[in-house]
Amino acid sequence: GSLRPGFLLPRVAQVTDGTLKHFLAFFCSPIPFFQVILAVLFGFFTQYAESTSLEQDTKFYQPLLNVVVMIFIGFGFLMTFLSRYGYSALSYTYLLACFTLQWAVLTNHFFRCMFDERGPIFMLVPVSFVALLEAAFCSGAVMISLGAVLGKLSPVQLLLMTAIEVPLFSVVLGLLERLDVSDIGGSMGVHTFGAYFGLAVMWMQTKGASAKPLRNAIALDGSAWKARYDSDVSAMSGTLWLWVYWPSFVAAMCPPTHFARSVVNTFLALAASGGSVFVYSALFRHGIFDMVDIQNATLAGGVAIGSAAEMRLFPVGAIAVGILAGLLSCCGYRWLQPFLERTLGLHDTCGVHNLHGMPGLLGGLVSVVAAVAAPYTRYTAEELETIFPHGLSLQWAFQFLGMGLTMAIALSGGILVGALVRIFKWPHATITESGEPPVPGEVEVALDRTYFEVAPLTMTDRAHPIQASHEGYAPIGSETAPLLTAAGAPPASINAEV
């Protein structure tokens, strides 16, 4: 499939047909406008980092690549579990991450200067590996927020959300640095902020009479939010990419003296959550492994260990954090998420509250406990000054304060942005003009069909090894074979595979 030139503002250019329509639609859309503004800002306010600084930053090159792999491949494929939003998951991850990497370089530097202890000091932005790495962290927060609203916001709304979320992330980052809050792996600044910002934006979309079309679309077309065998496999590949590169994400900014401990703690927490989630999933799902749990909750240990990764938790402590985070995430997917949908109308597409929100808060609490119960004699003087700048008697209070400020900015900013994006009319892609859900097989995707050129439901080209269908995939040569028999069981030909 390929992008339509006017995919951001399809209603603007309906005054004419042909090439002129697509030309007008593209140049009236926010994408070229936003990109031109970024180019102008970079032209006036940035410069290369000084050579000595750049040489010093070369140690961040490999962590930068690892984090970028997590953003573009890990997060992108993890969100492809929805069979109707595969194009949206990958393409919007690509689109928003590209803009965030540019925008965050500017905003991070601006607010760091604003919160400088010597007072606001403004200078040209030095573009270095460190600046790009911090911008990649910001992209992680934006991807988490995207997971909460995937399939329910148009590209215009997503771009507006990102344009405002990035400066708010920079405010959080600047405040946590100014207050000397230990959050080396982003449990608070990345995961907690991104999750609750996205949830607040999503909550605002379902409030009031004007949100009735969206509520109806979510309720009427339940198949839009379900996975398929092949889409679950695609999402699982994203999980594996994230698992492998997660220690680089957590330890990327660690000083050399803490680096090994941060990596070890992260690996142990991830391994513990990954193993324990299979137990919880079978226990909570009547003996069945649920792919939602396996794709997401297995990563909760990496989220929860972030704030305390550089602290001396001891190996057993890191494992305990992973086990507890996996349990919390599984309980969220099994019970809390359906409860929030029924009571608050909060439709969390990818379950970011369960993977990032609650485990992120748990990570903040773990850092509080680790600061209170820190084995003083096991830390060197340099480690105490770096990890606990307020001293062991006060650091726990600043960890709590950092959690509170992050939550306050995320929720208030998300509510504000959620109200703002509702100005842009939501495209009723999952329901027909009569308000009824589309006939099965007639529309394979919702927003994907609206903004992308989607391949036909059935491919007749015999060169392809498989043929696509609305329900699933069948081997070429058995074009009429259903995915399930009339009795509801898989046909004999695929029993061996599924």
Side-chain angles (χ1 to χ4, degrees):
S2 60
L3 285 171
R4 292 177 180 173
F7 75 101
L8 277 186
L9 227 56
R11 302 291 183 265
V12 169
Q14 290 184 349
V15 295
T16 184
D17 294 323
T19 304
L20 180 59
K21 178 179 76 171
H22 297 294
F23 179 85
L24 290 175
F26 180 77
F27 283 99
C28 290
S29 72
I31 277 194
F33 175 77
F34 195 23
Q35 185 60 72
V36 168
I37 292 297
L38 287 173
V40 172
L41 291 175
F42 265 79
F44 281 100
F45 300 109
T46 64
Q47 62 181 358
Y48 288 122
E50 296 180 4
S51 57
T52 55
S53 176
L54 192 59
E55 292 172 2
Q56 184 181 2
D57 287 347
T58 52
K59 64 180 180 180
F60 293 106
Y61 175 65
Q62 190 60 50
L64 172 61
L65 293 185
N66 295 344
V67 173
V68 168
V69 168
M70 290 182 65
I71 300 302
F72 286 89
I73 300 179
F75 280 109
F77 277 95
L78 181 62
M79 290 187 283
T80 59
F81 75 99
L82 291 176
S83 59
R84 290 194 176 188
Y85 300 107
Y87 285 11
S88 296
L90 291 173
S91 299
Y92 295 159
T93 295
Y94 195 5
L95 171 69
L96 299 183
C98 286
F99 278 118
T100 301
L101 286 171
Q102 301 171 75
W103 185 215
V105 168
L106 302 173
T107 59
N108 286 344
H109 179 80
F110 175 80
F111 285 103
R112 180 172 282 113
C113 292
M114 283 288 295
F115 294 119
D116 192 286
E117 60 184 7
R118 298 167 296 178
I121 300 176
F122 299 102
M123 60 188 75
L124 291 179
V125 181
V127 181
S128 63
F129 287 146
V130 172
L132 294 174
L133 184 57
E134 291 178 340
F137 290 151
C138 182
S139 297
V142 172
M143 295 307 105
I144 294 168
S145 300
L146 172 63
V149 301
L150 180 65
K152 288 156 301 197
L153 295 185
S154 69
V156 171
Q157 294 169 313
L158 290 174
L159 195 61
L160 177 60
M161 182 188 81
T162 301
I164 301 176
E165 181 178 5
V166 170
L168 291 177
F169 171 87
S170 300
V171 170
V172 171
L173 182 66
L175 285 174
L176 293 181
E177 288 184 357
R178 182 68 179 86
L179 295 173
D180 290 323
V181 175
S182 293
D183 188 37
I184 195 69
S187 292
M188 302 181 204
V190 176
H191 299 285
T192 301
F193 172 78
Y196 287 103
F197 180 90
L199 290 171
V201 172
M202 186 60 247
W203 182 70
M204 288 299 295
Q205 306 315 301
T206 57
K207 298 291 103 181
S210 61
K212 187 176 180 180
L214 177 56
R215 293 197 300 269
N216 290 342
I218 293 173
L220 289 173
D221 195 13
S223 62
W225 319 110
K226 294 181 180 179
R228 216 166 47 180
Y229 182 84
D230 57 298
S231 64
D232 266 335
V233 173
S234 174
M236 193 64 199
S237 69
T239 300
L240 298 178
W241 280 103
L242 287 170
W243 200 102
V244 170
Y245 285 103
W246 207 289
S248 291
F249 181 91
V250 172
M253 302 294 289
C254 272
T257 54
H258 312 162
F259 182 82
R261 185 163 61 241
S262 299
V263 172
V264 169
N265 284 339
T266 306
F267 263 117
L268 291 176
L270 281 168
S273 63
S276 62
V277 162
F278 281 85
V279 178
Y280 302 141
S281 185
L283 182 64
F284 299 158
R285 312 278 186 173
H286 308 291
I288 301 296
F289 296 143
D290 191 286
M291 285 307 294
V292 171
D293 300 331
I294 307 307
Q295 292 161 0
N296 297 280
T298 50
L299 301 172
V303 176
I305 201 67
S307 293
E310 60 183 343
M311 301 180 184
R312 292 186 178 273
L313 303 176
F314 301 105
V316 67
I319 291 175
V321 170
I323 292 173
L324 185 57
L327 175 62
L328 186 64
S329 185
C330 274
C331 290
Y333 281 107
R334 180 64 180 88
W335 291 292
L336 183 59
Q337 185 170 345
F339 173 78
L340 293 176
E341 289 183 17
R342 291 193 307 268
T343 57
L344 299 180
L346 182 60
H347 192 271
D348 181 3
T349 304
C350 297
V352 300
H353 186 224
N354 312 309
L355 173 56
H356 301 280
M358 293 190 296
L361 291 176
L362 174 63
L365 293 176
V366 169
S367 71
V368 171
V369 174
V372 171
Y376 180 83
T377 56
R378 291 183 177 269
Y379 286 100
T380 65
E382 181 184 355
E383 288 178 330
L384 286 173
E385 183 179 355
T386 304
I387 303 175
F388 306 106
H390 297 286
L392 294 177
S393 60
L394 286 178
Q395 187 63 41
W396 66 270
F398 281 87
Q399 297 299 117
F400 256 128
L401 179 61
M403 292 173 58
L405 288 174
T406 301
M407 284 289 292
I409 295 173
L411 292 175
S412 59
I415 290 173
L416 176 63
V417 173
L420 186 60
V421 300
R422 285 180 64 169
I423 297 174
F424 297 87
K425 188 178 181 180
W426 184 78
H428 307 273
T430 57
I431 55 175
T432 61
E433 292 182 359
S434 63
E436 296 298 325
V439 178
E442 191 175 280
V443 179
E444 183 184 16
V445 292
L447 285 177
D448 273 9
R449 173 67 73 182
T450 304
Y451 296 110
F452 295 90
E453 293 286 0
V454 179
L457 297 182
T458 302
M459 295 185 294
T460 57
D461 185 358
R462 295 281 177 163
H464 289 78
I466 58 173
Q467 116 184 11
S469 70
H470 177 67
E471 295 295 334
Y473 288 98
I476 289 296
S478 58
E479 297 177 358
T480 59
L483 184 62
L484 299 178
T485 64
S493 60
I494 64 171
N495 272 338
E497 179 184 357
V498 183

